[in-house]
Structures are given as structure tokens and as C-alpha cells.
Amino acid sequence: MSNTISNTLSNTKLPRKIWLHLFRALLRQCSYLPDPVARVNMQAYTIDRFRHNVQKNKRKRPDLLRQNMLRKTAIQQLSLLSRANEGYSKPLEKVLQLAYGRRGKRRHELIQAFLAPAGEKHMAKFEDGWEPPSLMVHLLKAQNHNAMITLLNAGLYVKETEPNVPSENIWGRPLSKARRTNIRKEWYVRSQGNMFPPLLDAELEVLEGLMSGAIPWTPPKRRKAIETSPPHVEPDINLALFLKRGPSKGETFEKYVDGRPHVITRRFMQRLWKRLSCLVPRVKWDAANQKPMFTWDVIHTGPQVAISTEESIAQQIFGGVDANGRKIKDDEPQIEPQQSD
């Protein structure tokens, strides 16, 4: 009986109208996203995913169980995009992180592209003498000093920037070669899962331009839905229950416990872009130390308490004050500050 059911499910496929409806709905929601980079990347991701599964299904027999799983994934993606376009902050922030490579498949692609120029794209063996990529180590060290990652709850903390391979096991015996290799491999995979790679220059310019206002932004226009007025129905009141329990409960805020929809304005988007910018490292080459230097954005910047000035102007600014910062009276002689050798 079980073999008959499995063979029936394997030779059955969902109707084409279901997939066409989901595909069009996903592309429609992608076109409503309020970020230009998210619109392009999420639309490309949706098209690539449908094409990949269509080509894969042509090579294999139709499997209803797998198609139901793919349909469930597509419905979840559609729900995420819909709530993001309605103004829910957490789903919209997740979509932005997916589009800018702060999580998901695109983050893995950016990591591989970041490590590839130095010939560190893939390490098939993690045997003795293997060292982690230098770019990876420098980036992990920079992430350890970025408090915004923990504040935004965006990823796990990477404590070890290099694999720690002990010389002995718990029984005091030398660690086997296979175990040493597995420790390095596990560290490499775990560290890559917590890395925030740099963005492409073009996308970083767009993100900074949207935050500063240099790039004009307008909310996307949505297609108006056809409004249908429901028929007027007289409420059916049970007089006995009304007298016993009182009036029924009206509309509550139970559905807004995990968040509420916002009107998508530029100010609302700037807060999300700023949070996203704190997870994007800026790379500069340190010529003195011959290594890359990573800097991170912060949400709140403190006031500037010091300014730089030329030495010739400093005497004019601080000419009427003594060494303790008090104003010198006209009858008091001015004391030159002592210079240390």
C-alpha cells in the first residue's frame, strides 16, 4: 500500500496555474519594495530560483512531496515580501539584509568573491601547515571590535580568529591527524557563517547616497486594488449570552504584538538603511602596516569635542588665557607655558 502511494506521488505534479500565480505574485511584490537594490536583487533571486527548479524537474520525475515543499517555501517568501511592503520593520529589514548580502545565499557569494582575489577561494584540505586566509583573519578581528553587530543582534560573536588545535586529547595522547583536520575545517565553516563581507562599490555608493539624500528617493507606486463593499449583514445577537456575558469583545491589537505596519517614508527607510550600514565594512589599505583596514558605521555619533587648527592661529585663539584655562587680566603678566624637552 505504501509503495503504491509513493509511486502515485512521484508521478504527480501540481498544476501549472499554481506556479504561475506564485511567480507573478512574487515578482509583483518585488517591484513594490522601497529600496532600488532590493528590487533588483530579490527579483533576480526569484527568477533564478524558479528557472533552477524548472530545469531540475525536467531531468527527474515529478515528485509531489518535493513540489509541496517548494510551494511552501515560495508562500513563505511571498508572505515575507508582502509584510515588508506593508511597512513591518522586521520583515523589511530582513529583506534588505538578504538583498545587500548580510544574510542568505548572496552573503555566501560575497564572501567567496572577497576571498577569491588572493587565491583563497577554496581550501579542499585542512592538513598540518594550513593557515586561514589573511583577509579572513583581518575581517574577523575587525568584527570583534564592532559592537553594532551585537547591538543589532545580527550575528554570533566570533571569539577565535584562528583555529585552536590542541596538541593532546582528553586522555593526554597526541591528537590524531584526522581530528586536527576536522578542527580546522569546522572553524573555517563556522567563521564563514559569521562573516560580514564588504559590499560591491556600486551598491555601497547607492546605500550611502540613499542615507545622505544624494540619491533621490520616492516610495514605489502600487497598483490599486479593486474595492468591493461587503453586503450589509445584521449582527446575529444571542440575547441569552448577551445577558449572561455582556457585550462581545471588539477589535484588539493582538495581531500587532510582533510589530505593526508603518507608513513607508524616507525617515522610516533612513533608520533601516543606517542599521544596515552598520553591518557593512569599509575597506582601506594601510600602507604603513601593509594590511587591509576595516572601518564600521555607527548608529549614533557623538558630538565633536575637538577641532584641528594650524599652529600659527593657536596663539591668537589662546593668547588671553593662562596654562589653567583662566582669562588673564590686563594688569597680570602673561606666563609662557613651559615646553617639555
Side-chain angles (χ1 to χ4, degrees):
M1 183 67 180
S2 60
N3 294 333
T4 305
I5 295 176
S6 61
N7 293 333
T8 304
L9 293 178
S10 300
N11 298 325
T12 310
K13 61 180 181 180
L14 293 175
R16 183 173 177 269
K17 291 183 178 180
I18 295 179
W19 298 113
L20 189 60
H21 172 73
L22 280 174
F23 183 65
R24 288 176 175 175
L26 284 168
L27 293 183
R28 187 183 305 113
Q29 292 297 330
C30 289
S31 64
Y32 294 157
L33 291 174
D35 183 89
V37 176
R39 283 197 296 269
V40 175
N41 289 340
M42 296 304 295
Q43 183 178 6
Y45 171 77
T46 302
I47 295 175
D48 291 342
R49 186 168 175 81
F50 269 81
R51 286 178 178 174
H52 172 74
N53 287 288
V54 167
Q55 295 174 359
K56 193 173 182 179
N57 289 333
K58 287 181 179 179
R59 296 190 297 266
K60 296 182 179 181
R61 292 186 306 174
D63 189 352
L64 186 60
L65 295 177
R66 184 174 180 275
Q67 290 187 18
N68 281 328
M69 181 190 67
L70 293 174
R71 179 174 175 269
K72 182 180 178 181
T73 306
I75 292 176
Q76 291 175 350
Q77 189 77 4
L78 180 61
S79 174
L80 175 66
L81 294 174
S82 302
R83 286 182 288 122
N85 289 323
E86 289 174 4
Y88 287 90
S89 57
K90 289 184 179 180
L92 183 54
E93 186 176 6
K94 183 178 180 180
V95 170
L96 292 178
Q97 291 182 2
L98 288 170
Y100 282 89
R102 301 305 94 188
R103 62 165 71 190
K105 179 182 177 182
R106 189 157 190 273
R107 184 177 67 89
H108 182 71
E109 294 175 352
L110 290 177
I111 290 175
Q112 299 301 324
F114 174 65
L115 300 178
E120 301 161 343
K121 183 176 181 181
H122 178 68
M123 296 290 180
K125 297 181 179 179
F126 299 89
E127 299 178 353
D128 296 340
W130 176 85
E131 294 183 357
S134 58
L135 288 175
M136 186 176 183
V137 173
H138 291 311
L139 180 56
L140 291 176
K141 289 181 179 179
Q143 283 188 198
N144 287 347
H145 295 86
N146 183 17
M148 291 291 104
I149 296 178
T150 306
L151 180 63
L152 300 176
N153 195 19
L156 300 178
Y157 178 75
V158 183
K159 184 178 181 180
E160 298 177 351
T161 57
E162 294 183 4
N164 184 15
V165 182
S167 58
E168 297 180 351
N169 56 19
I170 58 175
W171 295 283
R173 300 173 184 174
L175 206 65
S176 63
K177 181 180 178 181
R179 182 58 186 147
R180 294 196 299 268
T181 302
N182 290 335
I183 290 176
R184 297 187 187 97
K185 184 178 180 180
E186 290 171 2
W187 175 89
Y188 185 77
V189 174
R190 184 176 65 255
S191 299
Q192 274 200 347
N194 292 280
M195 285 177 58
F196 290 98
L199 262 180
L200 300 177
D201 294 339
E203 294 181 354
L204 182 59
E205 291 179 1
V206 172
L207 178 61
E208 293 179 345
L210 290 171
M211 288 191 301
S212 62
I215 297 179
W217 178 88
T218 53
K221 295 182 180 179
R222 303 191 59 168
R223 189 176 64 177
K224 293 184 178 180
I226 301 176
E227 298 181 359
T228 57
S229 57
H232 180 70
V233 179
E234 292 292 338
D236 187 10
I237 301 177
N238 191 331
L239 185 59
L241 291 177
F242 179 79
L243 295 175
K244 180 180 179 181
R245 300 178 182 177
S248 60
K249 197 180 209 180
E251 185 71 19
T252 64
F253 291 91
E254 183 180 0
K255 58 183 178 181
Y256 300 142
V257 171
D258 296 331
R260 64 179 180 86
H262 295 74
V263 178
I264 300 180
T265 60
R266 184 176 187 86
R267 181 182 178 185
F268 174 70
M269 290 301 302
Q270 279 182 334
R271 290 197 294 266
L272 296 179
W273 286 328
K274 191 66 173 178
R275 291 170 63 90
L276 181 68
S277 177
C278 296
L279 304 178
V280 179
R282 277 72 167 175
V283 190
K284 294 182 180 179
W285 180 255
D286 189 359
N289 299 320
Q290 293 296 314
K291 65 177 183 179
M293 183 176 60
F294 298 91
T295 57
W296 304 84
D297 196 1
V298 293
I299 295 181
H300 302 289
T301 56
Q304 189 175 2
V305 296
I307 57 174
S308 58
T309 181
E310 299 180 2
E311 189 175 353
S312 58
I313 312 177
Q315 186 63 27
Q316 300 177 6
I317 299 177
F318 302 102
V321 235
D322 59 8
N324 297 324
R326 293 177 298 183
K327 186 176 180 181
I328 301 176
K329 297 180 180 180
D330 297 336
D331 55 347
E332 293 182 1
Q334 296 187 7
I335 303 176
E336 295 291 337
Q338 297 180 358
Q339 297 182 356
S340 58
D341 297 335

